[in-house]
Structure formats: structure tokens, C-alpha cells
Amino acid sequence: MCSIAGFYDSSADFSSRGSEFEHILQQMGQAQTHRGPDESGILLTPRCGLSHTRLSIIDLKNGRQPMTRSLGGSLYHIVYNGEIYNLKKLRRELFQHDVIPCTSSDTEVILLSYLTFGPEFIRQLDGIFAFAIYDEQHKILTLYRDSFGVKPLFYTIVNGTIIFSSEIKGLFCFPDITAALDTDGLNELFGLGPARIPGSGILSGIRELKPGTSLTCSQQGFREHTYYQLTSHTHEDSYEETLEKTRFLITDAIKRQMISDVPICTFLSGGVDSSLVSAVCAEELKKQGSRLTTYSFDFTDNDKYFKASSFQPSMDRPYVDQMVSFLHADHHYLECDNRTQADMLCASVDAHDLPCMADVDSSLLYFCGEVARNHKVVLTGECADEVFGGYPWFHKDTFLNCGTFPWTPDLSPRKQLLNKELLHTLDMDAYVAKAYDSAISEISILPGETDTEANRRRISYLNIRFFMQTLLNRMDRTSMHSGLEARVPFADRALVDYVFNIPWEMKARDGVVKNVLRQAARTLLPDTILFRKKSPYPKTYDPFYEQLLTTRLKEKLAQPDCPLLPLLDLAAVTRFLESPKDYGAPWYGQLMAGPQMIAWLLQTEYFLRKYNVRIQI
């Protein structure tokens, strides 16, 4: 994994001020060194500049970027962030066209595939990626992003110049780019956050290339093209055929994503998703005479304070112990204390350049930093719930019929803390309703589907395009902040395409949540793991953590220049801080309840202050 950045203007001559723009490219790379601490490089041409930092995983000696190849005397340059899982197949296709790569680097294979097969080659890539290719002769820059947005790519356009970067912080290295929030940004921050509308960078003028999309920049302007999108179609396979194909697609995705020239590891929570990924990896490594390393996460003294709820019914440790024994894994139990979790709230904003999932994010940031001490590549069980229907909102009528994003069915916990005049200006309910209506219009309902079936299809689509994207953002930023590459086999395109159209009577047969996944994984896991009731990522229940957050937020709000003050109803926030917190009533997803609201406000205060964000309403 790596970071990429750069700029392009069809009418510019950057080389006339070479040292100035080379310095900008270097700064863009330095701002993202955490994503690629092993190597860095820049390239400046009259119309385009490219920057790259590298985390060496494939072809450690020959994968340096920017990489340049020629065709017919013309030069083509690439900067690339990601991993390609069908690399062998792509190399075979190049050989069949008498194109012989000079290295084993996936970067070269991508560039040569572009030169050999043209821009539509992108449909053949299987992997996680964001990259830029510059055609120097025709002065064309093309940006690409993977099907589900596992890898990030932000951009902005200033006076005809497009500036792009893996992370927003890289954009701020270019002159005259500053942070501002307009009405839409505030609505998105407070009404949808920590989710984002696909393509939005929240800050005014900043966009993120949508998943499954390319952006071509030329003398004719800017043209966006969607090369991949989820589609609805009738499922033709029998139940038995569905289980067999699902098993193949899952195990095949896991095996392909083990590709690496450095050792891999897995996150292991004792749930069916991470346990299945770990079991397949362990078996493959065993064939090679190796032993799988696994990591699990918890919070100091959580056994004393854990409170079971419908969202989080059990602790992980007993199930982790069972899986460690089953896998014969080299396992590491990692714990995070409350003060560390609170202290890293700001660091998680540094990683995202935006407020994020509060302590759900800061704790994972800490854990990834610990894992990165020994590993560069980790496979996770992330995204299985979005793909196979594991969340409560797939199963309960109140969520199915809520007519909005089911992980945020009620805006009142957010609105009650905001300044009343600001709320009137924002009209948050209308903004969220418009975002919801626009999103569900993107997916087709099949003839003959009942209202309930249609709602489930819409929720499935929303989960993949919104909720899953939030978790993929979280996984990328928290892992790459420490130079750790996280891979997500359950976000494999072939797997998601197939499972999306499996009918609900199969997905939840006999009332079993994620039934198709569990049945497809039979014999690979013990039944106690296979049919364990879902329990999400752990969080702390220690009352000291809540007290610590409350004290810190009160201190921030007592400062006259606190950037939150114009946005909040201070009396309402004071009442909220003095009342007992409900740990089992989330205002976002399953984990973000009362204490996480305090943590999220602390993150928002830090974000506004760090980036000197201007409010434009």
C-alpha cells in the first residue's frame, strides 16, 4: 500500500517553476508518509506532477514509483496505491499479446494493461486500488478507484487545475486550498456523519472519486465514467447450488488476498466472519509449512463493566480462546486502556482529516499501530454483515419501514444539541431525506418483489454504498496511519455481486441471521463459532471513560474561542453531559451511543480548530 498525489492542468507549464512545484509534490508525499514509509518519489512534467510514497509488499526491489513506460515513442506515467489479486491472470493476458513485463510489480502490469487494452482494461482488475495514469503526449490524466472504495482518492479543482491525493491532508499542500464548511457540508457532518454521501469530501470544493469510477482530465475538460455498479437481477441457483458457489467465492477471495512478499496476519474476534477468514488463511499457510499469526482486541478491565445488550450480546474472549486452540495460531491478545482510547481521538481525526467514528475509530487506530510493529499485511472479516445481512435493520420491521438510513433512524439525538438558528438554516431533515431518496433511486426493484422484499433490497444497497463505505474508510485510515495494509475478502466484487441478489428466504432461512454464510462455511469452523450470535467490534463500558470525556469536553466548551460554540446549544449540551448515558441506544450504527456522542463532539472540535475551518452559511 502507498499514497498517491499530484496535480494536472492542460494549459499550465509547471516546469517553468520547477523547483516550486517539485517542493509541493514533496510536501504532498511527506504529508502522507505514514501510508508509505519505505520509499518516495516525484515526477514533474510541464502539465502534470505526480507524487508517491510506498509501503513495499510486492516486488520489494523493482516497484519504485512514479513508474514510466513508453509506447510508440510516447511516455506514460503511473502512481498507484493498492493490491491486485488477479495479477497472474493479467500477466498471462499480456504474454498472449507479446507484452513482457520487466518486473513482478503489479504497478507495471496495470500500466502495461492500460497501454495494451485501453482504458476499459479497468473492468478486468480484481483488487483494491486508487491510481493515476498520465499520457504525456496527449496530455490526458486519468484517475481510477476500485469498485467499493476500499482505497481512498480525494480531489479538488482550482482555476482549472485538478489536485488529487489519497488523503485530504495532501490537498492542503497545494497553494490556496483551505478548509471550509458550507450548508451542505454542515448538514452532512451533523446529519449523516460519520457517514458520507459517495463522492463527498464534506469540506467545500473537495470531492472523493466515487467507487467504481474513473475521472478523465484533458484539454476538453473533466469527464467522470462509472465502470462498475451493483445491479439487480433474478437469482437462478437452487439453495444447494447457492451454498456451494458462496463457499467457493468466499474461500477463493480469501486465498487470492493472501498474496504478499511479506508475512500476513489476521484480526480474530471469535465471530464467524473473522474466524472464517483466519481458518482459510491458517489452512493455506499450513500447506506452506507456516503458522498463522492472529490478533484480538479488548479494553482493560472490560470484564468488570461489560453490559450485554441486543446490539452487543457477548464478550469476545471465550470465543477467541476457542478459535486460537482450533487454529493452533500464534495469537496476541491486545488491550487498550481508557485514557489511551481518549487520547487517540485526535489522532484518528489526523488519520481521516475529518471527524470519524469516535472511540470506535481511535481504539482501532491504537490496535493497528500495535499490529504494525510486526506485520505489514492483515486480513479482516469486515463487510460480511453488510453483504450477508447481519445487522438488526435487515430483520426488524421498524428499521425496514423507517424510510431513511436505518443506522440513523432518528435525527433527534443530534439535533437536540445544535444551535436552534443553525438547525433552521440547515433544514437537516430535508437534506437527509433528499440524500436517502437519491441513493435508493440508484437501485432497481425486481418485478414481483413485495414491499418488504423491495425495502430489503434498498437497505442492502444502502449498506454497501454507505455503511460499508464508512467501515472501509475506518479500516483504511486506522491501518494505513501506521503503514499496515488491511484487506477485506468479504468486499470481493464477485462475491458481493453474487450475494446481493440471493433472495432473503435463503439468506435468513429458518430465521438464522447470515444463514447462507454460516451454512457455506460448515466444516471449516466449530459449530459454536459458526452459529454464535453477532457481536460487533468491542467498546469500553468503564464509567471512568465517560467521566474523562465529559471533563475534556467541558474544558473545551469553557474556552471563549472554542469553534463548537457557534454551532451548539450550550444549555442542551450541558444537560446532556450531566445526565446518565444510555450505552444500548445508538445514534449511529450499533456502537455509537451516549459516550460516543461526547467523543464525537471532541473530535469535531479538534477538526474545526486544527484545519481552521471557515463556516460559510
Side-chain angles (χ1 to χ4, degrees):
M1 287 302 162
C2 314
S3 77
I4 66 172
F7 42 79
Y8 163 86
D9 190 329
S10 63
S11 61
D13 183 5
F14 296 118
S15 58
S16 66
R17 295 153 58 192
S19 60
E20 175 185 348
F21 285 102
E22 285 178 356
H23 180 64
I24 291 171
L25 289 170
Q26 289 167 349
Q27 287 184 313
M28 296 176 88
Q30 289 169 3
Q32 303 180 100
T33 301
H34 52 277
R35 296 186 68 90
D38 295 334
E39 282 185 333
S40 64
I42 65 170
L43 174 77
L44 185 67
T45 74
R47 305 288 184 268
C48 180
L50 301 175
S51 173
H52 185 265
T53 68
R54 185 183 183 212
L55 181 67
S56 303
I57 291 173
I58 300 293
D59 195 351
L60 309 188
K61 293 183 178 180
N62 301 307
R64 188 178 179 86
Q65 300 182 47
M67 184 177 285
T68 299
R69 293 294 182 267
S70 63
L71 179 66
S74 300
L75 296 179
Y76 297 81
H77 315 283
I78 183 173
V79 284
Y80 155 71
N81 167 29
E83 295 296 339
I84 303 303
Y85 302 133
N86 62 338
L87 193 60
K88 292 181 179 179
K89 178 182 177 182
L90 296 174
R91 291 176 68 88
R92 285 197 300 270
E93 291 177 356
L94 288 173
F95 286 142
Q96 290 170 4
H97 286 76
D98 297 322
V99 178
I100 312 300
C102 301
T103 72
S104 59
S105 167
D106 48 359
T107 307
E108 184 184 24
V109 169
I110 292 172
L111 184 53
L112 292 178
S113 295
Y114 173 84
L115 299 180
T116 305
F117 305 113
E120 288 301 302
F121 87 104
I122 190 66
R123 299 180 185 274
Q124 307 306 316
L125 288 192
D126 171 23
I128 53 178
F129 52 80
F131 59 89
I133 293 178
Y134 180 54
D135 173 349
E136 191 167 344
Q137 178 182 2
H138 300 101
K139 304 178 181 64
I140 298 174
L141 173 74
T142 308
L143 306 178
Y144 294 94
R145 193 170 179 219
D146 66 66
S147 300
F148 297 115
V150 179
K151 293 290 107 183
L153 185 55
F154 292 89
Y155 69 93
T156 188
I157 300 171
V158 180
N159 298 324
T161 299
I162 183 170
I163 305 98
F164 64 91
S165 176
S166 293
E167 296 180 0
I168 292 173
K169 58 176 63 67
L171 302 179
F172 291 138
C173 297
F174 199 86
D176 301 324
I177 297 179
T178 57
L181 281 172
D182 56 20
T183 301
D184 285 349
L186 288 167
N187 265 316
E188 195 159 355
L189 179 66
F190 290 111
L192 295 175
R196 288 189 278 120
I197 295 173
S200 169
I202 293 189
L203 292 166
S204 180
I206 292 179
R207 304 286 297 166
E208 186 171 25
L209 190 63
K210 292 179 182 179
T213 299
S214 65
L215 180 65
T216 301
C217 314
S218 68
Q219 293 171 312
Q220 285 69 48
F222 304 93
R223 181 174 59 86
E224 192 173 275
H225 170 66
T226 299
Y227 70 84
Y228 170 81
Q229 58 188 17
L230 276 172
T231 58
S232 301
H233 58 77
T234 302
H235 185 73
E236 303 288 351
D237 293 341
S238 68
Y239 180 65
E240 290 72 20
E241 290 170 335
T242 298
L243 297 184
E244 182 180 3
K245 188 166 184 178
T246 300
R247 183 183 178 109
F248 168 77
L249 288 171
I250 292 172
T251 55
D252 181 62
I254 296 169
K255 292 173 185 177
R256 283 186 287 106
Q257 295 197 22
M258 293 176 68
I259 181 174
S260 175
D261 290 341
V262 297
I264 68 164
C265 64
T266 65
F267 292 163
L268 178 63
S269 70
V272 61
D273 310 330
S274 65
S275 296
L276 180 54
V277 171
S278 297
V280 174
C281 288
E283 185 62 27
E284 288 302 299
L285 290 176
K286 183 179 178 181
K287 296 175 184 177
Q288 304 169 19
S290 300
R291 185 183 179 196
L292 177 66
T293 300
T294 55
Y295 294 88
S296 62
F297 312 141
D298 207 345
F299 297 93
T300 305
D301 294 331
N302 223 22
D303 55 333
K304 298 179 183 178
Y305 301 105
F306 175 75
K307 299 176 183 178
S309 68
S310 59
F311 288 101
Q312 200 150 26
S314 62
M315 296 187 69
D316 288 339
R317 180 64 182 258
Y319 298 93
V320 171
D321 291 343
Q322 185 178 353
M323 277 305 300
V324 170
S325 176
F326 179 77
L327 297 172
H328 303 289
D330 173 22
H331 187 73
H332 302 263
Y333 296 93
L334 302 180
E335 286 192 349
C336 181
D337 63 78
N338 293 310
R339 191 171 296 277
T340 298
Q341 185 176 211
D343 289 346
M344 296 196 73
L345 287 170
C346 293
S348 60
V349 175
D350 293 338
H352 284 259
D353 303 312
L354 294 166
C356 43
M357 294 187 73
D359 50 54
V360 183
D361 207 286
S362 66
S363 58
L364 185 58
L365 185 72
Y366 168 76
F367 290 132
C368 285
E370 294 298 296
V371 173
R373 295 175 184 272
N374 300 302
H375 285 86
K376 287 187 176 183
V377 180
V378 60
L379 274 70
T380 84
E382 203 77 76
C383 301
D385 287 310
E386 289 81 2
V387 175
F388 286 92
Y391 291 114
W393 42 80
F394 284 99
H395 304 270
K396 297 183 179 180
D397 289 341
T398 52
F399 290 113
L400 283 173
N401 301 313
C402 68
T404 188
F405 300 102
W407 48 86
T408 311
D410 183 8
L411 293 178
S412 58
R414 301 155 177 261
K415 292 167 61 178
Q416 68 179 349
L417 302 179
L418 294 180
N419 179 288
K420 299 303 181 285
E421 291 184 7
L422 176 65
L423 277 174
H424 178 74
T425 301
L426 296 182
D427 195 5
M428 189 182 295
D429 292 279
Y431 182 88
V432 173
K434 182 179 178 181
Y436 172 78
D437 290 341
S438 176
I440 63 172
S441 71
E442 297 170 359
I443 194 66
S444 299
I445 302 304
L446 296 180
E449 287 187 319
T450 66
D451 288 345
T452 298
E453 290 167 341
N455 282 340
R456 278 208 180 92
R457 182 175 292 279
R458 293 185 182 108
I459 286 178
S460 295
Y461 181 79
L462 292 174
N463 267 266
I464 291 168
R465 279 308 188 197
F466 278 79
F467 198 76
M468 188 170 92
Q469 183 66 65
T470 304
L471 297 183
L472 289 172
N473 290 341
R474 167 178 172 254
M475 184 57 68
D476 175 82
R477 306 310 188 278
T478 55
S479 59
M480 291 304 296
H481 197 67
S482 297
L484 175 68
E485 175 183 309
R487 299 178 181 175
V488 279
F490 286 110
D492 176 76
R493 186 168 66 190
L495 175 64
V496 176
D497 278 342
Y498 184 73
V499 176
F500 178 71
N501 287 290
I502 296 175
W504 189 251
E505 58 265 24
M506 291 186 187
K507 285 183 179 175
R509 190 169 185 172
D510 299 325
V512 177
V513 177
K514 295 197 296 190
N515 172 70
V516 165
L517 172 62
R518 298 180 198 275
Q519 298 297 341
R522 275 195 177 276
T523 72
L524 297 176
L525 297 173
D527 280 357
T528 50
I529 301 295
L530 199 59
F531 294 98
R532 179 191 175 191
K533 189 175 181 180
K534 173 179 171 53
S535 191
Y537 178 85
K539 66 178 181 181
T540 184
Y541 290 84
D542 190 337
F544 170 75
Y545 178 65
E546 180 186 325
Q547 296 163 11
L548 181 62
L549 295 179
T550 298
T551 299
R552 292 185 178 186
L553 184 56
K554 285 181 177 179
E555 290 173 352
K556 295 294 183 184
L557 295 174
Q559 299 172 5
D561 60 346
C562 175
L564 281 177
L565 290 177
L567 306 176
L568 299 180
D569 180 335
L570 191 56
V573 174
T574 301
R575 289 193 298 271
F576 172 71
L577 293 178
E578 292 174 350
S579 63
K581 302 299 174 293
D582 190 339
Y583 285 73
W587 55 273
Y588 181 85
Q590 300 177 96
L591 297 175
M592 298 184 72
Q596 286 68 45
M597 176 64 81
I598 307 173
W600 187 77
L601 288 173
L602 282 167
Q603 286 193 324
T604 303
E605 189 278 337
Y606 176 73
F607 160 70
L608 294 171
R609 178 165 44 83
K610 175 182 177 177
Y611 293 104
N612 193 25
V613 179
R614 291 176 291 111
I615 306 299
Q616 299 176 328
I617 55 175

